[in-house]
């Protein structure tokens, strides 16, 4: 009985040892399989991310190219409009933030037909304010100083900026006289119009050559100079 008991004990211990080995192997195998599975999943995730980033970058590149194309097309359209003589950019601004007044506007020149002065007159081309008449980005115009004081800056659609520099016996109330270089310009480019003008800045009764020069040389306005030159040459 003692011998058989010993054999049984040894067999039991062997079985326990084998069972322990199997358990350990399963545990190790499970970890390795789990690790492999995690790595595989991670690789797949990284692959998906890379693919997603690639597509995003590709979409951004396409969008950027499309944007450049649209900008180029817009620039070409803008240039075409300028060449065709359509309304300049100033006309397309939103002027609704500025006070407006409806006026009757006519055109005038420095000549005898408008001022009664000849080129031999020392005051020929000299306005009430003392500055010389000028057609530029900011042109000299005549107004009733009770309505628009000397130095007032107006935006006049289809004419541009006008600075009140002159007066006239016939210019009273809501009337303006816009300076042009020649009589032909007055008739061809303006004539007589009733329209709304916008008060950009109210004057204080004073205007000098230096003030007018500063307005016409403002850097922010030089982008419109070519448009002004083109409109004057037509």
């Amino acid at each position: 009985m003692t011998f058989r008991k010993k054999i049984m004990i040894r067999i039991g211990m062997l079985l326990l040892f084998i069972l322990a080995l199997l358990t350990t192997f399963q545990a190790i195998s499970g970890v390795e399989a789990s690790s492999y599975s995690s790595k595989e999943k991670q690789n797949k995730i990284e692959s998906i991310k890379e693919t997603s980033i690639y597509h995003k970058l590709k979409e951004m590149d396409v969008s950027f190219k499309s944007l450049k194309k649209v900008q180029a097309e817009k620039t070409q359209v803008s240039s075409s409009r300028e060449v065709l003589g359509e309304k300049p950019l100033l006309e397309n601004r939103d002027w609704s933030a500025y006070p407006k007044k409806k006026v009757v506007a006519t055109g005038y020149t420095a000549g005898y037909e408008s001022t009664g002065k000849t080129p031999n007159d020392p005051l020929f081309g000299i306005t009430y304010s003392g500055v010389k008449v000028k057609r530029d980005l900011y042109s000299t115009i005549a107004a009733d100083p009770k309505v628009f004081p000397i130095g007032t800056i107006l935006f006049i659609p289809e004419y541009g900026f006008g600075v009140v520099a002159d007066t006239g016996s016939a210019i009273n109330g809501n009337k303006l006289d816009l300076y042009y270089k020649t009589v032909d310009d007055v008739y061809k480019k303006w004539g007589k119009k009733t329209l709304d003008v916008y008060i950009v800045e109210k004057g204080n009764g004073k205007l000098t050559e230096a003030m007018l020069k500063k307005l016409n040389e403002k850097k922010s306005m030089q982008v419109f100079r070519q448009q002004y030159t083109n409109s004057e040459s037509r």
Side-chain angles (χ1 to χ4, degrees):
M1 291 293 291
T2 305
F3 178 76
R4 289 181 64 184
K5 190 174 181 180
K6 287 181 179 179
I7 292 296
M8 292 297 294
I9 291 171
R10 287 182 180 179
I11 291 172
M13 289 179 67
L14 180 61
L15 290 173
L16 288 172
F17 178 74
I18 292 169
L19 183 61
L21 283 177
L22 288 173
T23 303
T24 303
F25 178 78
Q26 268 190 337
I28 293 170
S29 300
V31 169
E32 287 179 352
S34 176
S35 299
Y36 176 78
S37 177
S38 297
K39 286 180 181 179
E40 189 176 36
K41 286 180 182 178
Q42 186 65 30
N43 288 338
K44 284 184 179 180
I45 289 169
E46 291 298 326
S47 177
I48 290 169
K49 283 183 178 179
E50 287 175 2
T51 304
S52 177
I53 292 170
Y54 171 78
H55 284 299
K56 288 288 184 185
L57 289 173
K58 193 170 183 181
E59 287 173 5
M60 287 172 66
D61 184 56
V62 170
S63 299
F64 181 70
K65 287 179 180 177
S66 300
L67 179 61
K68 287 176 70 177
K69 185 178 179 182
V70 169
Q71 287 177 334
E73 288 173 353
K74 283 185 177 179
T75 302
Q76 290 171 359
V77 169
S78 176
S79 300
S80 300
R81 286 182 177 174
E82 183 178 329
V83 171
L84 292 173
E86 293 186 13
K87 289 183 179 180
L89 296 176
L90 281 173
E91 300 286 343
N92 296 329
R93 280 189 184 179
D94 181 9
W95 294 97
S96 61
Y98 295 90
K100 68 179 179 180
K101 188 176 284 288
K102 189 174 289 293
V103 301
V104 175
T106 51
Y108 82 106
T109 70
Y112 186 82
E113 65 284 339
S114 295
T115 64
K117 299 173 186 176
T118 66
N120 295 324
D121 192 316
L123 295 178
F124 180 81
I126 304 299
T127 64
Y128 176 83
S129 64
V131 304
K132 293 180 181 179
V133 290
K134 181 181 286 292
R135 181 75 177 107
D136 206 335
L137 294 172
Y138 287 82
S139 303
T140 55
I141 62 175
D144 184 341
K146 293 178 182 178
V147 181
F148 300 115
I150 296 294
T152 296
I153 301 173
L154 303 176
F155 177 73
I156 305 152
E158 298 179 48
Y159 181 77
F161 288 106
V163 186
V164 178
D166 213 349
T167 61
S169 57
I171 307 301
N172 49 65
N174 296 339
K175 292 183 180 179
L176 295 178
D177 232 354
L178 314 180
Y179 174 71
Y180 280 97
K181 293 178 182 178
T182 68
V183 176
D184 283 345
D185 284 346
V186 171
Y187 287 106
K188 286 180 181 179
K189 298 179 180 180
W190 194 262
K192 181 178 180 179
K193 298 180 183 181
T194 300
L195 75 166
D196 288 328
V197 298
Y198 300 88
I199 304 169
V200 177
E201 184 179 323
K202 196 166 185 178
N204 60 3
K206 181 182 178 181
L207 181 66
T208 65
E209 288 288 357
M211 291 165 67
L212 190 58
K213 182 180 180 182
K214 186 177 180 180
L215 286 171
N216 279 297
E217 291 181 354
K218 281 198 302 186
K219 287 184 179 180
S220 60
M221 287 297 297
Q222 300 316 303
V223 66
F224 303 110
R225 185 162 292 285
Q226 187 60 48
Q227 292 177 341
Y228 162 75
T229 302
N230 290 342
S231 67
E232 285 301 292
S233 64
R234 287 195 293 270

